Amino acid sequence: MKFFVVFALCVAAATANVISPIVVNDEAAEIQQIMDAINHPSTDPATAALLEQMLNEVLGLTKPEPIDVGPAIVEGDYESISVGPAIVEEVVPAPVIPEINNSPLVQIIINVKPGSGNPVVVEGMPEVAPTPVLVEEKPEVEPTPVIVVEKPEIEPTPVIVEEKPVAPEPVIVAPVVIPEPVITLPDILN
């Protein structure tokens, strides 16, 4: 299959030719005259460049505008770039004080206007009188003391180096033999 794809690509490349652009008959004669003038040996190089530009205009090909590599012009306010080292203020973390809060996280208040055209009538409900909310003051929590544990000093001990160490016996590991799978062919192929 790969051979067929490569063969098809080679045949396509061998038989390929450049497709000339379709040109209107009136312009074809003008284009041919411009190309003949460009390729003529007595044409001056400056004239040939002008003729190429004329040919590009006739064919509708335009060259891109050149890129301006000068400095960018910034209008309005801009922030200048600091080239010096970055100055970072040290942030001291605040101590974490756990808060004990027994109040609910969400409080829902529903105001229903009487006589608002609500077809639902609630009977037998006692009226609830608003009561003041008691705010409990939080007791101040004393910060826990930080205990600093000093690391014990490590005493270096001398290292004993043997002059003639005993080499262990080498272990010979046989390579692992993986058997090839057996493929049984149908009787027709044998």
Side-chain angles (χ1 to χ4, degrees):
M1 187 67 182
K2 291 178 188 176
F3 177 74
F4 177 70
V5 172
V6 171
F7 180 72
L9 287 174
C10 289
V11 169
T15 59
N17 57 3
V18 178
I19 299 172
S20 60
I22 300 172
V23 181
V24 181
N25 290 336
D26 297 338
E27 295 177 351
E30 183 182 356
I31 292 172
Q32 187 61 39
Q33 288 176 354
I34 294 172
M35 290 180 66
D36 291 340
I38 291 173
N39 295 328
H40 197 272
S42 65
T43 305
D44 185 38
T47 308
L50 292 173
L51 289 172
E52 281 184 27
Q53 185 179 5
M54 184 188 301
L55 179 65
N56 287 337
E57 289 175 3
V58 170
L59 292 176
L61 303 174
T62 57
K63 292 184 179 180
E65 295 179 7
I67 299 172
D68 185 18
V69 294
I73 299 172
V74 179
E75 296 178 0
D77 296 336
Y78 65 93
E79 183 178 333
S80 62
I81 299 173
S82 175
V83 183
I87 299 172
V88 180
E89 297 176 5
E90 272 192 43
V91 179
V92 179
V96 178
I97 301 173
E99 294 185 17
I100 301 171
N101 192 355
N102 293 335
S103 65
L105 296 176
V106 178
Q107 183 178 5
I108 300 174
I109 300 173
I110 301 174
N111 294 329
V112 179
K113 295 180 181 177
S116 63
N118 191 354
V120 178
V121 177
V122 179
E123 295 178 358
M125 291 290 294
E127 290 188 20
V128 178
T131 58
V133 177
L134 299 176
V135 178
E136 297 177 10
E137 291 185 14
K138 298 178 185 174
E140 292 186 19
V141 178
E142 294 181 19
T144 57
V146 178
I147 300 171
V148 178
V149 179
E150 293 183 18
K151 295 181 181 177
E153 291 185 23
I154 299 173
E155 295 181 19
T157 57
V159 177
I160 301 171
V161 179
E162 295 182 14
E163 300 219 1
K164 293 183 181 178
V166 178
E169 294 180 15
V171 178
I172 300 174
V173 179
V176 179
V177 177
I178 300 174
E180 295 182 15
V182 176
I183 300 173
T184 56
L185 297 175
D187 292 335
I188 298 171
L189 296 177
N190 284 338

